[in-house]
Amino acid sequence: MKGIVKTFQRTPQMFKSGVGLSKKSNDPEFDEYSRKFESVEKATDKLLKDARVFSENVLALLTAGVGFSQRFATVFTPIAGEFDLIGKNPEAGDTIRNVEGYSTALEELKSTLAPELELIEARVVGPVKEFQGILKHIRKSITKRDHKLVDYDRHNNSLTKLREKKDKTLSDEKNLFKYEQDFEAAANDYDFWNSTMKAELPRFLTLSTQFIDPLFHSFFYMQLNIFYLMMEKLQGFSSGKVNIGVSGQEIINDYEAKRGDITERVEGLSITHRILSTSRMMQQHRQNSGLTVESGPGVSRASSNASSISRGNTSASTTSGYKKAPPPPPSSKPGGFTPRSTAPAPAAPPPYTPPAASVSAMAAATKRAPPPPPGPKPSAKPPINYVVALYDFDAQADGDLSFKTGDQIELLEKTGSSEDWWTGRVNGKKGVFPGNYVQET
């Protein structure tokens, strides 16, 4: 409770001194020691973090190396036991023979380095944590010294303001005596903590150097031992198998030479490219052949792989066909070209004159009653279109149409894209189905 009261008393002075409205005392000698101590705090935090990161990264390096070798073993034995990989790939014989041994060597190296990593935790991380605890105690003492400085400035400002007041009342005279006593107590407390910090901080900074020095040497030799064990293990594995006395450029050149045209050969495989569905191939074939498909507007059901496309309510004119070219113009026109001919044109026949009997028959025919009007013409039924199922399809939701490969489906509605849902009927059932599962007949 006492600390809370003092915090409220110090808050106005801290605010005023922060914005320059009140006087703030300082000690350059202590400020220099405080900056050095702060740098030691930051360096200790970073040392602790770096020691942990080093141990974690060495372990991660070994774990990644083991995984790397295992994946290589998997790639080089894709169909183990079915054929002789070395016989079919003699240029990769050394790699195929040694990849499993490399995985075993890294597993052994990981087990060997585990105790060394534990030593870093015990001999570096542990002492640094203890040193960090000491720094926290000193930081509390510095904070207390700063609080005493705030109390000193607060009482000094109040006493100075009251002393400079011209017309003092009796109450001011009584408060003046109290302010002088409070200032004297605050000055004594501040002088004690400030003198203690200026005397003890330099000694601590010297001792901290002596404390950190053996930690550095321990950490250095532990790192050296880890690197030595890694080099010894890998050199033992590569002895008689790999020539390690080559430059980086030579490694690159050897890699390019051994790779050869394998990239082009792999890209030449059809399975390395995107395979088009049968319906999409037919659609591209129609487009390349100049065929056009007409479809009416409608409402579509959104598929999971395509954007929303309107479904067309097609009519009998949806069947595709070639656009027929217009007929050629006539061979002669008025004023145009006249074909050559030397033969005279034949004479026109005489006009037709009907006989008398036929004239009387025609007159009798005009007296008959007119024939009855024809009845309504029957409406022509639209042609029925069918599609053939290329794959099996099982209904995934209500309203879907299930069918098997080879079924003939009566096409009721379709859209302009085979990547949409069409409507059809098979075995007396009506529903929707994906257009890229069928082929138009």
Side-chain angles (χ1 to χ4, degrees):
M1 188 66 182
K2 185 178 179 180
I4 297 177
V5 174
K6 287 187 176 181
T7 300
F8 280 109
Q9 292 174 349
R10 293 168 183 151
T11 300
Q13 174 62 25
M14 295 173 66
F15 175 76
K16 291 179 181 179
S17 61
V19 297
L21 298 178
S22 179
K23 181 181 178 181
K24 181 180 179 181
S25 303
N26 64 336
D27 188 339
E29 183 181 359
F30 171 80
D31 293 341
E32 180 65 23
Y33 293 147
S34 179
R35 283 192 293 270
K36 292 181 179 179
F37 178 79
E38 186 177 358
S39 64
V40 171
E41 282 183 313
K42 293 180 179 179
T44 304
D45 293 340
K46 194 149 191 340
L47 175 61
L48 180 62
K49 180 180 178 181
D50 291 342
R52 287 176 172 172
V53 170
F54 176 80
S55 300
E56 293 172 358
N57 287 346
V58 169
L59 184 60
L61 173 66
L62 298 175
T63 303
V66 172
F68 173 80
S69 61
Q70 291 175 350
R71 305 304 171 267
F72 249 87
T74 303
V75 170
F76 276 99
T77 55
I79 316 177
E82 293 193 10
F83 57 86
D84 183 12
L85 287 176
I86 298 179
K88 292 185 175 294
N89 303 278
E91 68 279 0
D94 292 338
T95 304
I96 297 173
R97 279 188 293 266
N98 297 321
V99 67
E100 293 184 358
Y102 177 71
S103 177
T104 304
L106 288 182
E107 286 282 5
E108 295 174 355
L109 180 61
K110 184 177 179 181
S111 302
T112 304
L113 293 181
E116 299 295 331
L117 297 177
E118 293 176 358
L119 281 178
I120 294 179
E121 183 70 24
R123 297 182 182 179
V124 178
V125 175
V128 170
K129 284 183 177 179
E130 294 178 1
F131 183 69
Q132 199 174 39
I134 297 173
L135 294 178
K136 290 181 180 178
H137 287 293
I138 298 177
R139 172 54 63 185
K140 289 182 179 180
S141 299
I142 294 176
T143 302
K144 193 166 187 178
R145 179 261 177 196
D146 293 339
H147 289 168
K148 296 301 181 182
L149 176 61
V150 174
D151 292 337
Y152 172 82
D153 289 337
R154 177 167 60 90
H155 291 296
N156 185 26
N157 292 335
S158 299
L159 179 60
T160 303
K161 184 177 180 181
L162 187 57
R163 282 177 177 176
E164 293 177 353
K165 188 176 181 180
K166 295 181 180 181
D167 300 328
K168 297 183 180 65
T169 62
L170 181 61
S171 177
D172 292 336
E173 295 294 341
K174 293 180 181 179
N175 290 335
L176 181 61
F177 178 73
K178 181 178 180 299
Y179 284 175
E180 289 176 349
Q181 288 183 331
D182 293 340
F183 172 71
E184 185 178 358
N188 291 334
D189 289 341
Y190 168 68
D191 288 339
F192 170 76
W193 285 99
N194 190 54
S195 301
T196 302
M197 290 293 102
K198 289 195 295 183
E200 298 292 339
L201 277 179
R203 296 174 57 189
F204 171 77
L205 294 174
T206 303
L207 294 174
S208 65
T209 303
Q210 299 176 3
F211 175 80
I212 292 296
D213 186 63
L215 284 182
F216 171 78
H217 287 282
S218 298
F219 193 31
F220 172 77
Y221 285 113
M222 288 177 187
Q223 289 179 334
L224 187 63
N225 191 34
I226 289 174
F227 295 147
Y228 174 76
L229 290 174
M230 294 175 66
M231 184 182 66
E232 183 183 25
K233 191 68 175 178
L234 293 178
Q235 279 186 343
F237 167 77
S238 62
S239 177
K241 303 182 183 69
V242 181
N243 181 16
I244 59 177
V246 296
S247 63
Q249 187 60 41
E250 291 176 343
I251 295 175
I252 295 175
N253 296 337
D254 184 60
Y255 166 76
E256 295 292 344
K258 289 184 177 180
R259 188 176 66 169
D261 62 342
I262 188 63
T263 303
E264 291 76 7
R265 290 164 60 187
V266 171
E267 291 179 352
L269 298 176
S270 60
I271 59 175
T272 61
H273 304 281
R274 183 180 177 184
I275 300 176
L276 298 177
S277 62
T278 305
S279 58
R280 185 179 292 274
M281 293 175 62
M282 294 180 62
Q283 184 178 5
Q284 290 184 356
H285 176 70
R286 294 193 190 98
Q287 293 176 354
N288 295 335
S289 301
L291 302 177
T292 58
V293 180
E294 300 178 358
S295 60
V299 182
S300 69
R301 166 180 173 180
S303 64
S304 59
N305 297 326
S307 60
S308 176
I309 307 174
S310 62
R311 177 183 299 166
N313 296 325
T314 57
S315 62
S317 62
T318 58
T319 57
S320 61
Y322 293 96
K323 290 187 176 180
K324 194 173 181 180
S331 58
S332 61
K333 296 182 181 179
F337 173 75
T338 303
R340 297 179 180 177
S341 177
T342 55
Y352 174 73
T353 303
S358 61
V359 173
S360 60
M362 291 178 61
T366 56
K367 296 180 180 180
R368 295 179 182 176
K377 294 183 179 180
S379 58
K381 294 183 178 180
I384 300 176
N385 297 326
Y386 289 92
V387 293
V388 178
L390 299 175
Y391 313 98
D392 294 344
F393 177 71
D394 296 326
Q396 301 175 357
D398 294 336
D400 290 356
L401 182 64
S402 300
F403 50 80
K404 301 295 183 181
T405 303
D407 287 351
Q408 282 197 346
I409 305 170
E410 181 181 356
L411 185 61
L412 302 178
E413 294 178 3
K414 61 172 286 187
T415 64
S417 172
S418 62
E419 301 295 328
D420 206 348
W421 292 89
W422 296 358
T423 305
R425 182 187 295 112
V426 64
N427 298 330
K429 295 182 179 180
K430 179 182 177 181
V432 295
F433 58 92
N436 55 4
Y437 272 54
V438 299
Q439 177 182 358
E440 298 186 43
T441 60

Coordinates of all heavy atoms in Angstrom, one line a residue, residues 148-149 151-153 155-156 181-191:
K148 N 14.3 7.4 -5.9 CA 14.8 8.4 -4.9 C 15.2 9.7 -5.6 O 15.0 10.8 -5.0 CB 16.0 7.8 -4.2 CG 15.8 6.5 -3.4 CD 14.7 6.8 -2.3 CE 14.4 5.5 -1.5 NZ 13.4 5.8 -0.5
L149 N 15.7 9.6 -6.8 CA 15.9 10.9 -7.6 C 14.7 11.6 -7.8 O 14.6 12.9 -7.7 CB 16.7 10.5 -8.9 CG 17.0 11.7 -9.8 CD1 17.9 12.7 -9.1 CD2 17.6 11.2 -11.1
D151 N 11.9 11.6 -6.0 CA 11.5 12.2 -4.7 C 12.4 13.4 -4.4 O 11.9 14.4 -3.9 CB 11.7 11.1 -3.6 CG 10.7 10.0 -3.7 OD1 9.6 10.2 -4.4 OD2 10.9 8.9 -3.2
Y152 N 13.7 13.3 -4.7 CA 14.6 14.4 -4.4 C 14.1 15.6 -5.2 O 14.0 16.8 -4.7 CB 16.0 14.0 -4.7 CG 17.0 15.1 -4.7 CD1 17.6 15.6 -3.5 CD2 17.4 15.8 -5.9 CE1 18.5 16.6 -3.5 CE2 18.3 16.8 -5.9 CZ 18.8 17.2 -4.6 OH 19.7 18.3 -4.6
D153 N 13.9 15.5 -6.5 CA 13.5 16.6 -7.4 C 12.1 17.1 -6.9 O 11.9 18.3 -7.0 CB 13.4 16.1 -8.8 CG 14.8 15.9 -9.4 OD1 15.8 16.5 -8.9 OD2 14.9 15.1 -10.4
H155 N 10.6 17.1 -3.9 CA 10.7 17.9 -2.6 C 11.6 19.2 -2.9 O 11.3 20.2 -2.3 CB 11.3 17.1 -1.5 CG 10.4 16.0 -1.0 ND1 9.2 16.2 -0.4 CD2 10.6 14.6 -1.1 CE1 8.6 15.1 -0.1 NE2 9.5 14.1 -0.5
N156 N 12.6 19.1 -3.7 CA 13.4 20.3 -4.0 C 12.6 21.3 -4.7 O 12.7 22.5 -4.4 CB 14.6 19.8 -4.8 CG 15.6 21.0 -5.1 OD1 15.6 21.9 -4.3 ND2 16.3 20.9 -6.1
Q181 N 12.4 19.6 6.1 CA 12.7 18.2 6.6 C 12.5 17.1 5.6 O 13.3 16.2 5.5 CB 11.7 18.0 7.8 CG 12.1 18.8 9.1 CD 11.2 18.5 10.2 OE1 10.0 18.1 10.0 NE2 11.7 18.6 11.4
D182 N 11.4 17.2 4.8 CA 11.2 16.2 3.7 C 12.3 16.2 2.7 O 12.8 15.2 2.2 CB 9.8 16.4 3.0 CG 8.7 16.2 3.9 OD1 8.8 15.5 5.0 OD2 7.5 16.7 3.7
F183 N 12.7 17.4 2.3 CA 13.8 17.5 1.3 C 15.1 17.0 1.9 O 15.9 16.3 1.1 CB 14.0 19.0 0.9 CG 15.2 19.2 0.0 CD1 15.2 18.8 -1.3 CD2 16.3 19.9 0.6 CE1 16.3 19.0 -2.1 CE2 17.5 20.0 -0.2 CZ 17.5 19.6 -1.5
E184 N 15.4 17.2 3.1 CA 16.6 16.7 3.7 C 16.6 15.2 3.7 O 17.6 14.5 3.4 CB 16.8 17.2 5.1 CG 18.1 16.8 5.8 CD 18.3 17.4 7.2 OE1 17.4 18.2 7.6 OE2 19.3 17.1 7.8
A185 N 15.4 14.6 4.1 CA 15.4 13.1 4.1 C 15.5 12.5 2.7 O 16.2 11.5 2.4 CB 14.0 12.7 4.7
A186 N 14.8 13.2 1.7 CA 14.9 12.7 0.3 C 16.4 12.8 -0.2 O 16.9 12.0 -1.0 CB 14.0 13.5 -0.6
A187 N 17.0 13.9 0.2 CA 18.4 14.1 -0.3 C 19.3 13.0 0.3 O 20.2 12.5 -0.4 CB 18.9 15.5 0.1
N188 N 19.1 12.7 1.6 CA 20.0 11.7 2.2 C 19.8 10.3 1.5 O 20.7 9.6 1.2 CB 19.7 11.6 3.7 CG 20.2 12.8 4.4 OD1 21.1 13.5 4.0 ND2 19.5 13.1 5.5
D189 N 18.5 10.0 1.2 CA 18.2 8.7 0.6 C 18.8 8.6 -0.8 O 19.4 7.6 -1.2 CB 16.7 8.5 0.5 CG 16.1 8.2 1.8 OD1 16.8 7.8 2.8 OD2 14.8 8.3 2.0
Y190 N 18.6 9.7 -1.6 CA 19.2 9.7 -2.9 C 20.7 9.6 -2.9 O 21.3 8.9 -3.7 CB 18.7 11.0 -3.6 CG 19.5 11.3 -4.9 CD1 19.3 10.4 -6.0 CD2 20.4 12.3 -5.0 CE1 20.0 10.6 -7.2 CE2 21.1 12.5 -6.2 CZ 20.8 11.7 -7.3 OH 21.5 11.9 -8.5
D191 N 21.4 10.4 -2.0 CA 22.8 10.3 -2.0 C 23.3 8.9 -1.6 O 24.3 8.5 -2.2 CB 23.3 11.4 -0.9 CG 23.1 12.8 -1.4 OD1 23.0 13.0 -2.6 OD2 23.1 13.7 -0.5

